[in-house]
Amino acid sequence: MQNTIPNLDTLEKAYDPSDFRKIGHEMIDLIADHIEKVQTDEDQPVLMYREPEDELLFWKQDFSSDTGMIDVFSNILEHSISVHHPKYIGHQVAVPALISGLAGLMSDVLNNGTGVYEMGMAGNAIEKIVTDLMAKRIGYSSDASGLLTSGGTLANLTALLAARKAKAPTAVWEHGHQEKLAVLVSEEAHYCIDRAARILGLGNDGIIKVPVDSDFKIDTNILDEYYSKAKADGFYVIALIGCACSTATGSYDNLNHLADFAEKHNLWFHVDGAHGGGVVFSKQYKYLVNGIERADSVVIDFHKMLMTPALNTGLIFKKAEDAYQTFAQKAQYLWDSQDTREWYNSGKRTFECTKFMMSIKVYAILKAHGEEIFEKNVDTLYHLASVFSKTINDRLDFELALIPEANIINFRYTKVMMGRDINSLNADIRKRLIASGKFYIVQTRIKEELYLRTTIMNPLTKEKDLISLLDEIETIAATIA
C-alpha cells in the first residue's frame, strides 16, 4: 500500500499563534474574573461539591459534546476548588502568586526538559540560583548544592537514597542489600517517609517509628532506647529524620537535639521541612528550625508556604558531593562528560530525566515581588493561626488538640447531646460544611480522636473569616443535635 501525504490543516491549526493569542486572552480574562470574584464576593462558594459519579457523568457528557474551549475552561473553574478563596483553609496547598501561573504557562509551551543542559539552559541556570538561595537561608555554606524536584515525596525518597549511599556499609546501588538497613523517624512523620523507606527495601521492621511527646514532637529522651534495640535486632541504622513540621499537628521537632544524636552515632540527619521549612525565610519564625543547618539534607516545598504552584520542591544537600553521588551512572547518549559534578545537567541528580522548568515559577515570584514576599507570607499565615487558636480557646464549646506552632490548627466542637459520639458529630459537621460550599476544611485523627483540621494558606484570609467558620459550625451543630 502506497503511503499518502496526510492533510496538515488540523496539525497546523494546533500550532497557530493567532488562535493561541485569541484563546489565551480570553482564558486569562476568565481566570482573572474568577479570582477577583472569589476574593471579593462573600457569597461565592469555595467549591460546589458533587458526588464522584455525578462529576464523572458531567465530564463524559462534556467530552462527547461540541463545547467550545472557553466553555470548557469555564466549566473546569466551576467544578474545581478555589484555593484563592479566603475561606479555603483545608489542605496544605499554596495559594499561588499569580505571576507564577504565567511562568507555568511559559514552561508548558516551551517544554524544555532540564535533565540535559542543551534542552534546558535557562531552566538549569535559574534552578541553581533558586536552590543556592534556599541553601543560604537554611544556613549552609557555599559547599552546599541543591535541586528542584516534583514534590516532597520524591525529594524525601532522593534524600534517603543519598543517606543509603553515604552510610550503608556496602554499596547497595551496585551490589544490592547486604545488611538489614533501618531509619529512625517520628511516628508523626508524613506517610511519604514510610513509603520512601519501603521503596528502598527497608520493610516494616526497618522503619523505626519513635513515639512523640505531649507536644507531638519526636521524644528525644527515648531515641537511645530505640536505636539500641534496632542494633540488637541486627539492623544497621543509616539515618535519623526530623519533622519541620509534622503534617497532622504542625509540630516542629527539636532539630538541635536530633543533630546531636545523629553526630554521636554517625547517622545521616535529614529534615523533612516540606511544609514548615519555609520559615527559613522568616526572621520572626526561623527559631522553629534552629539546628536545620546541621542537617545533611533538607526538603522544603515551594508549593506549600512559598506561594508556588504544585509540584515544586527544593532538596538541598549540605555537601555538594552527596547530591551528585546518589545517581552516579553512565549515560553516554545524554552527556559528553561522565564527570558527575555538573550542576547544569540536572538529570544526573534526580529521578526525573525530563523535568519541566519548575525553577522559573519561583524565579518569577522573586523577580516580581522580591524575596521578602516569602517572609511576609509565612509571617501572615502563622500570625493568623495564632489568632485563630486564641479565638477557639475563647469559645466554650470548642477545644484545641494543641497550641499550634505552625499554620495548622486542629480543633473540635465539644457540645454534644446525651448519647451522641463526639467523633461522629464532628465528622457530620465537616460533611455538611463542605456540602454548603461556604468553607473548605479537612479532618484528621490524633490519638484515635477525630478533629477538624484547618491549614491557613491564603494570606488574604481575615480574622472575620475564621470567626465566621466557628459561627457556621455552631449553626450546623445545632441542626444536627
Side-chain angles (χ1 to χ4, degrees):
M1 182 176 178
Q2 192 173 16
N3 290 331
T4 58
I5 299 174
N7 187 317
L8 297 180
D9 288 350
T10 301
L11 281 173
E12 288 175 352
K13 188 172 180 60
Y15 297 102
D16 185 347
S18 60
D19 275 2
F20 175 71
R21 180 178 288 108
K22 178 179 181 297
I23 295 173
H25 279 300
E26 293 179 15
M27 182 181 176
I28 293 296
D29 285 341
L30 182 70
I31 295 172
D33 288 345
H34 166 77
I35 293 173
E36 184 177 28
K37 190 169 186 177
V38 300
Q39 287 179 346
T40 59
D41 184 354
E42 293 191 0
D43 294 327
Q44 180 72 11
V46 182
L47 77 164
M48 296 177 65
Y49 183 79
R50 297 168 178 83
E51 294 297 327
E53 293 303 324
D54 294 334
E55 185 69 10
L56 178 61
L57 177 61
F58 175 88
W59 289 106
K60 282 182 175 180
Q61 292 171 341
D62 178 86
F63 190 62
S64 61
S65 73
D66 59 354
T67 312
M69 282 312 305
I70 293 302
D71 290 329
V72 170
F73 293 141
S74 180
N75 286 336
I76 290 172
L77 285 174
E78 184 179 328
H79 286 248
S80 300
I81 195 164
S82 300
V83 299
H84 288 85
H85 199 299
K87 294 179 181 178
Y88 172 86
I89 39 180
H91 288 293
Q92 294 155 275
V93 178
V95 178
L98 300 183
I99 192 69
S100 65
L102 297 179
L105 172 63
M106 175 165 281
S107 173
D108 287 348
V109 174
L110 289 176
N111 202 28
N112 282 194
T114 59
V116 180
Y117 175 67
E118 287 91 345
M119 276 297 296
M121 294 187 296
N124 275 298
I126 291 171
E127 182 169 321
K128 179 166 174 54
I129 290 170
V130 169
T131 53
D132 282 354
L133 173 63
M134 180 171 278
K136 185 177 180 181
R137 292 295 163 259
I138 288 170
Y140 285 157
S141 72
S142 58
D143 291 334
S145 181
L147 54 97
L148 297 180
T149 191
S150 298
T153 299
L154 198 55
N156 280 311
L157 174 58
T158 306
L160 291 188
L161 281 167
R164 188 179 69 178
K165 178 78 173 181
K167 298 298 182 180
T170 53
V172 178
W173 185 265
E174 291 81 5
H175 307 300
H177 283 275
Q178 307 296 312
E179 303 87 13
K180 294 196 303 180
L181 304 180
V183 296
L184 288 164
V185 64
S186 164
E187 64 181 0
E188 286 290 322
H190 191 269
Y191 68 86
C192 75
I193 299 293
D194 184 282
R195 181 178 292 176
R198 292 179 189 278
I199 292 172
L200 264 62
L202 305 191
N204 287 332
D205 295 335
I207 307 164
I208 303 168
K209 295 184 178 180
V210 183
V212 294
D213 59 22
S214 59
D215 293 321
F216 296 90
K217 306 170 187 286
I218 191 170
D219 191 344
T220 55
N221 293 319
I222 58 175
L223 271 175
D224 265 314
E225 174 188 340
Y226 277 75
Y227 176 74
S228 297
K229 184 178 186 306
K231 288 184 64 178
D233 291 340
F235 285 95
Y236 192 98
V237 181
I238 58 172
L240 172 62
I241 301 157
C243 296
C245 52
S246 67
T247 307
T249 64
S251 300
Y252 285 83
D253 287 340
N254 188 318
L255 301 184
N256 270 318
H257 285 181
L258 297 183
D260 289 342
F261 187 88
E263 289 174 7
K264 177 182 176 182
H265 297 285
N266 192 28
L267 306 178
W268 181 279
F269 179 34
H270 173 63
V271 173
D272 177 11
H275 178 78
V279 298
V280 297
F281 287 94
S282 167
K283 292 184 288 290
Q284 184 176 356
Y285 293 102
K286 190 174 181 180
Y287 75 92
L288 291 167
V289 290
N290 284 343
I292 195 171
E293 74 284 352
R294 300 173 64 188
D296 295 292
S297 53
V298 176
V299 163
I300 299 176
D301 285 345
F302 280 98
H303 64 265
K304 295 281 174 59
M305 303 290 291
L306 303 177
M307 309 172 72
T308 307
L311 294 166
N312 205 311
T313 299
L315 168 57
I316 314 297
F317 292 94
K318 188 174 186 176
K319 296 179 181 178
E321 57 264 30
D322 290 323
Y324 293 98
Q325 289 300 316
T326 306
F327 298 112
Q329 61 188 122
K330 293 182 179 179
Q332 285 89 342
Y333 79 100
L334 289 178
W335 303 298
D336 292 332
S337 168
Q338 295 309 314
D339 178 8
T340 58
R341 291 196 56 157
E342 294 175 346
W343 59 263
Y344 45 86
N345 285 317
S346 67
K348 291 187 174 186
R349 298 191 290 167
T350 69
F351 276 100
E352 301 156 292
C353 293
T354 305
K355 184 176 71 175
F356 65 85
M357 301 168 71
M358 59 183 74
S359 61
I360 70 174
K361 298 180 183 181
V362 181
Y363 191 74
I365 298 172
L366 292 168
K367 289 291 289 183
H369 303 291
E371 184 186 337
E372 62 271 14
I373 195 71
F374 292 154
E375 178 174 35
K376 290 178 180 178
N377 192 57
V378 170
D379 290 355
T380 299
L381 300 182
Y382 277 43
H383 173 71
L384 280 170
S386 176
V387 169
F388 188 34
S389 68
K390 291 174 183 175
T391 304
I392 293 168
N393 262 340
D394 289 340
R395 297 254 185 151
L396 294 177
D397 296 331
F398 291 87
E399 70 175 8
L400 286 167
L402 71 161
I403 301 297
E405 288 187 299
N407 57 332
I408 300 168
I409 307 99
N410 295 286
F411 67 101
R412 59 183 177 176
Y413 184 77
T414 56
K415 185 179 179 181
V416 296
M417 300 294 289
M418 185 176 297
R420 179 76 201 214
D421 177 69
I422 191 171
N423 290 331
S424 65
L425 172 62
N426 280 274
D428 286 347
I429 288 172
R430 193 192 86 90
K431 187 174 181 181
R432 296 194 187 193
L433 194 65
I434 300 308
S436 75
K438 295 179 179 179
F439 290 88
Y440 184 73
I441 66 172
V442 296
Q443 65 187 40
T444 191
R445 284 191 177 270
I446 299 174
K447 294 184 176 179
E448 305 307 318
E449 293 294 316
L450 186 140
Y451 285 86
L452 303 174
R453 178 174 174 275
T454 62
T455 308
I456 302 175
M457 298 299 293
N458 190 341
L460 301 184
T461 298
K462 306 298 183 187
E463 184 178 354
K464 66 180 180 64
D465 298 316
L466 303 172
I467 292 172
S468 178
L469 170 60
L470 298 182
D471 291 342
E472 185 67 21
I473 289 172
E474 287 180 333
T475 300
I476 292 172
T479 63
I480 293 175

